[in-house]
Amino acid sequence: MKGKMNKKLLGIVLTFVTAGLVATGMDSNAYDEVYAQQDRQETAVQKLLKSEFVSATDQKELQQAVKAVNQAEKSANRRTLQKKITAEQNLLKQVKTNAQKAEQKAASKEWQQLAKSLGTIEKKGTNPFTEQADIVSLDQLQSQLQTLQSSTKVAPIRKLSKKAEQLASTMADNQQQMKMLADDLTQTNETIQSLLKKKYLLAADKSALTSEAQANQESLKKTNDLQLLRDRKTQSLEMTASVSKRISASEADFKDHQGAANKLLAAVSKLLSDEQLEKAEKTELVEKEQQLSGFLQLKSYQPGDLKTGHQQLQEEYDTILKAVNKRKAAAAKAAEEKAAAEKAAAEKAAKEAAAAEQKAREQAAAQEAAAQQAEAGSTSTPTPSVSGGWYQAPAGFKYLKVESGKTYGQVKNPDNFVLITAAEAANYTPGHGNGSAKQ
């Protein structure tokens, strides 16, 4: 800047010398001040010319004024130069005033536009699917808008307008996301209602699904929290997936083991009535029977429990049935042995009774024969012959030992026997020979 002024000053000094005038030190200082003023002024002009609020006419006049000063710097004297600079300065002030008025007018207009935009955003904010944070941001922008109502500058208004545009975009995106999430929750609740009708739904899962559906419904009533809806969706999807998996696993468990479990329970029920079942065995069977029956009714059940419960009861049943059958076999053997013993004893008793009856009949017959013989008298009974101390029964007769019912042909002492006819002897059995009697 100083080099520019010195160069211009040198030109003027040379002009003065040519004209026959002498430039003094005072003249040099005065020109320095003029050029310094013009440099400052020209900088202000260039800055103002960049303003969008300078009209084309004002811009042209300013440019012409600067040009005139620049031309005067080459040949005009200080007074003329100062006059042009002053004219430029006055024009600069006027243009600045005009620009300020134009900016103020633009600020007012843009404020109105911003107010209208915020009003539109506010209406969109009444949408039930509006993030609470966006409402808070809108309130802040509206508050800032009021502080700018009398602003003469457009910069803060435009800055606020940019924030409003960003909020409008953010709010629209958030509303769209929340609407989609709300639709997802509605769809999830429909899925939950479908799951609640499933046959193999566990009691705990039913309770959890019911609570989940209620929580989702409450979230749909209060949809100003985007993150809450995201969390609700994630939790609901995880829960429904988990429940669906358990239902499928339970269905497969029942398909594979329900029939066998019912058949086993019928067998266990029959075994529980067996007299050979011990108390401890019955307790074990009842405990596992009740557990398996509960599983069939989905009580305290988890997928796979039917298989496990069936296996446990089957093992217990097989072990106890084996023990019961072993005891029954032992009891049957003991009963068979007892029956055989009783049969043998009965047969022996019957045989003894028959022998006693036979003996009684023989004794009775012998007594009857003796009586008949006594009644007939001694003249009717032939006399036995004696040979070697043995008495030979007469022809047609036999000796009868009354006590034993045995008949003999020869005896040592006939007084111990009764002599009967051969016909009567047919009712008795012949005796074996001994020292006192023989055939």
Side-chain angles (χ1 to χ4, degrees):
M1 186 70 69
K2 186 175 180 181
K4 174 185 177 183
M5 289 189 294
N6 289 337
K7 183 178 180 181
K8 290 180 179 179
L9 183 58
L10 178 58
I12 293 174
V13 170
L14 291 175
T15 300
F16 286 164
V17 170
T18 303
L21 300 174
V22 179
T24 64
M26 183 177 296
D27 292 328
S28 177
N29 290 335
Y31 273 100
D32 278 342
E33 291 177 5
V34 171
Y35 280 113
Q37 178 185 0
Q38 172 57 19
D39 284 340
R40 290 193 299 272
Q41 197 162 284
E42 186 175 345
T43 299
V45 169
Q46 294 303 324
K47 182 179 180 181
L48 183 58
L49 286 174
K50 294 178 181 179
S51 173
E52 64 181 281
F53 301 106
V54 176
S55 67
T57 301
D58 286 347
Q59 188 178 37
K60 184 176 181 180
E61 288 182 4
L62 269 178
Q63 289 172 341
Q64 288 176 348
V66 172
K67 184 177 180 181
V69 172
N70 288 338
Q71 289 176 346
E73 287 178 348
K74 299 177 181 179
S75 59
N77 57 32
R78 184 169 59 84
R79 180 176 295 179
T80 301
L81 183 58
Q82 182 65 58
K83 185 177 180 181
K84 289 184 178 295
I85 291 176
T86 299
E88 181 190 56
Q89 184 180 33
N90 292 334
L91 179 59
L92 179 60
K93 290 180 179 179
Q94 183 60 47
V95 172
K96 184 179 291 186
T97 299
N98 293 342
Q100 289 174 343
K101 290 180 179 180
E103 183 175 8
Q104 184 175 2
K105 185 177 180 181
S108 178
K109 183 178 180 180
E110 292 186 20
W111 186 93
Q112 294 293 335
Q113 292 175 343
L114 178 56
K116 185 177 180 181
S117 296
L118 288 179
T120 300
I121 296 174
E122 184 176 9
K123 288 181 181 179
K124 293 182 178 179
T126 60
N127 187 309
F129 302 103
T130 302
E131 172 74 285
Q132 180 62 34
D134 293 338
I135 298 298
V136 173
S137 296
L138 176 60
D139 290 341
Q140 292 174 347
L141 292 183
Q142 288 175 326
S143 177
Q144 294 174 29
L145 176 68
Q146 296 307 313
T147 63
L148 295 176
Q149 187 171 8
S150 58
S151 176
T152 59
K153 300 294 182 182
V154 296
I157 296 175
R158 290 178 178 176
K159 183 177 180 180
L160 191 60
S161 295
K162 188 173 182 179
K163 291 182 178 179
E165 291 175 2
Q166 292 174 344
L167 175 60
S169 177
T170 300
M171 180 181 289
D173 289 343
N174 288 341
Q175 286 176 341
Q176 183 179 12
Q177 290 186 53
M178 293 178 77
K179 180 62 170 62
M180 293 174 62
L181 288 169
D183 291 342
D184 290 342
L185 284 183
T186 300
Q187 181 62 45
T188 300
N189 271 7
E190 292 177 1
T191 300
I192 288 176
Q193 293 305 315
S194 176
L195 290 175
L196 288 173
K197 298 176 184 178
K198 293 292 185 180
K199 180 178 180 180
Y200 297 103
L201 178 66
L202 305 182
D205 286 340
K206 181 177 181 179
S207 177
L209 285 176
T210 301
S211 298
E212 190 68 16
Q214 292 175 347
N216 288 344
Q217 197 61 38
E218 289 299 321
S219 296
L220 291 175
K221 294 178 182 179
K222 183 182 180 182
T223 53
N224 62 354
D225 191 333
L226 180 59
Q227 189 57 48
L228 173 64
L229 289 180
R230 288 196 184 106
D231 293 343
R232 283 267 89 243
K233 176 184 176 180
T234 299
Q235 179 176 320
S236 291
L237 288 178
E238 289 177 352
M239 173 173 288
T240 53
S242 179
V243 171
S244 295
K245 185 177 181 181
R246 280 194 289 274
I247 289 175
S248 297
S250 299
E251 186 175 4
D253 191 18
F254 271 72
K255 180 180 179 181
D256 293 340
H257 304 99
Q258 184 177 19
N262 284 324
K263 184 177 180 180
L264 176 59
L265 286 175
V268 169
S269 178
K270 182 179 179 181
L271 182 58
L272 286 172
S273 63
D274 198 303
E275 294 180 355
Q276 291 295 339
L277 190 66
E278 295 181 351
K279 184 177 180 180
E281 294 171 335
K282 183 175 183 179
T283 300
E284 289 293 327
L285 275 178
V286 168
E287 180 181 348
K288 289 183 171 56
E289 177 201 35
Q290 291 177 347
Q291 183 186 55
L292 185 58
S293 296
F295 289 159
L296 286 169
Q297 300 173 45
L298 298 179
K299 294 179 180 178
S300 301
Y301 171 84
Q302 290 297 319
D305 282 350
L306 192 58
K307 175 183 178 180
T308 302
H310 173 263
Q311 290 177 340
Q312 291 177 347
L313 181 58
Q314 185 69 61
E315 291 173 1
E316 193 71 29
Y317 172 80
D318 291 342
T319 299
I320 293 176
L321 179 62
K322 184 177 181 180
V324 167
N325 287 338
K326 185 176 181 180
R327 286 194 290 272
K328 289 174 73 174
K333 183 178 181 181
E336 184 179 348
E337 291 175 349
K338 180 180 179 181
E342 290 176 349
K343 181 180 179 181
E347 289 176 350
K348 181 179 179 182
K351 186 175 182 181
E352 290 177 350
E357 183 179 357
Q358 178 66 26
K359 183 177 180 179
R361 285 198 302 271
E362 291 176 350
Q363 289 179 345
Q367 291 175 354
E368 182 179 358
Q372 291 176 355
Q373 183 178 5
E375 184 178 351
S378 58
T379 57
S380 61
T381 303
T383 302
S385 61
V386 180
S387 175
W390 289 91
Y391 289 82
Q392 178 68 45
F397 287 87
K398 287 287 186 181
Y399 283 106
L400 172 65
K401 185 68 173 178
V402 176
E403 291 80 1
S404 65
K406 303 293 182 182
T407 60
Y408 300 94
Q410 300 179 57
V411 297
K412 283 284 188 177
N413 187 358
D415 293 336
N416 295 330
F417 297 86
V418 176
L419 190 63
I420 60 175
T421 64
E424 292 173 337
N427 295 322
Y428 302 95
T429 58
H432 296 290
N434 52 51
S436 61
K438 63 182 179 177
Q439 294 299 329

